[in-house]
Amino acid sequence: MKLSKIDLSNLVAISHSDGCLQLLLDKGHEFEFLEIPAPIQAYEGLQELNEIVAEANALPYEEAAIAMLPVNSSMATAVGYDSEEQVLQVEFYNGAVYQYSGIEAETWEDLQAADSIGQFFNQEIKGKYECDRLDEICDFNQCNY
């Protein structure tokens, strides 16, 4: 068996009619229509190939992890922040990890600059923002840690 590498990235559409495989190619500045004599099985094979490639490209969505920074605190071992989502993540000494939503960048900066991370957290964040425990869901009133 001889294998050939092919690039079908400019193939826009295919069809089959009157014993010909019909191809629509994107040439960048224009489209080109080609007809190639081929049995219906060629068309069916290309359709099947398209389905296989589509399934392979449908990778599951995975959120990027928030980069955690180790902290010198008796409350937490590490904190991290996602500025695009405005999410603060806190890893506590007991191993629990919580994400607090709606945290503005200024609050994140103030947390990092605080003399006591635990004191700042308890006064400015705890009970004031919605949160989720990463391994289980907690509601607004249960996020007391």
Side-chain angles (χ1 to χ4, degrees):
M1 171 173 47
K2 181 180 176 187
L3 296 176
S4 299
K5 184 175 179 174
I6 59 172
D7 179 4
L8 299 176
S9 59
N10 63 344
L11 181 61
V12 176
I14 62 169
S15 68
H16 192 273
S17 179
D18 298 326
C20 289
L21 188 60
Q22 300 168 328
L23 309 169
L24 183 62
L25 304 175
D26 183 353
K27 293 293 195 170
H29 59 283
E30 66 182 3
F31 289 98
E32 181 178 351
F33 181 77
L34 297 175
E35 284 190 316
I36 303 169
I40 188 71
Q41 292 85 354
Y43 170 72
E44 292 167 348
L46 286 172
Q47 283 186 311
E48 188 175 332
L49 176 62
N50 183 54
E51 290 174 19
I52 292 168
V53 170
E55 286 177 17
N57 288 335
L59 298 175
Y61 174 76
E62 185 174 314
E63 289 186 30
I66 295 175
M68 299 296 284
L69 304 170
V71 291
N72 184 13
S73 169
S74 59
M75 176 200 76
T77 60
V79 295
Y81 183 68
D82 181 334
S83 59
E84 288 183 21
E85 299 294 324
Q86 291 190 320
V87 171
L88 170 69
Q89 185 168 302
V90 180
E91 182 177 338
F92 294 94
Y93 267 103
N94 69 356
V97 179
Y98 287 85
Q99 288 186 342
Y100 297 83
S101 54
I103 305 289
E104 294 181 358
E106 183 179 330
T107 304
W108 164 244
E109 292 166 8
D110 291 345
L111 174 69
Q112 289 182 292
D115 290 333
S116 169
I117 289 175
Q119 188 175 17
F120 181 89
F121 174 83
N122 287 329
Q123 290 175 352
E124 303 296 327
I125 297 170
K126 180 180 174 182
K128 296 183 180 183
Y129 295 91
E130 289 187 38
C131 71
D132 292 314
R133 185 169 179 169
L134 292 190
D135 57 342
E136 61 185 54
I137 302 298
C138 65
D139 69 27
F140 182 76
N141 294 320
Q142 293 176 325
C143 297
N144 294 325
Y145 206 42

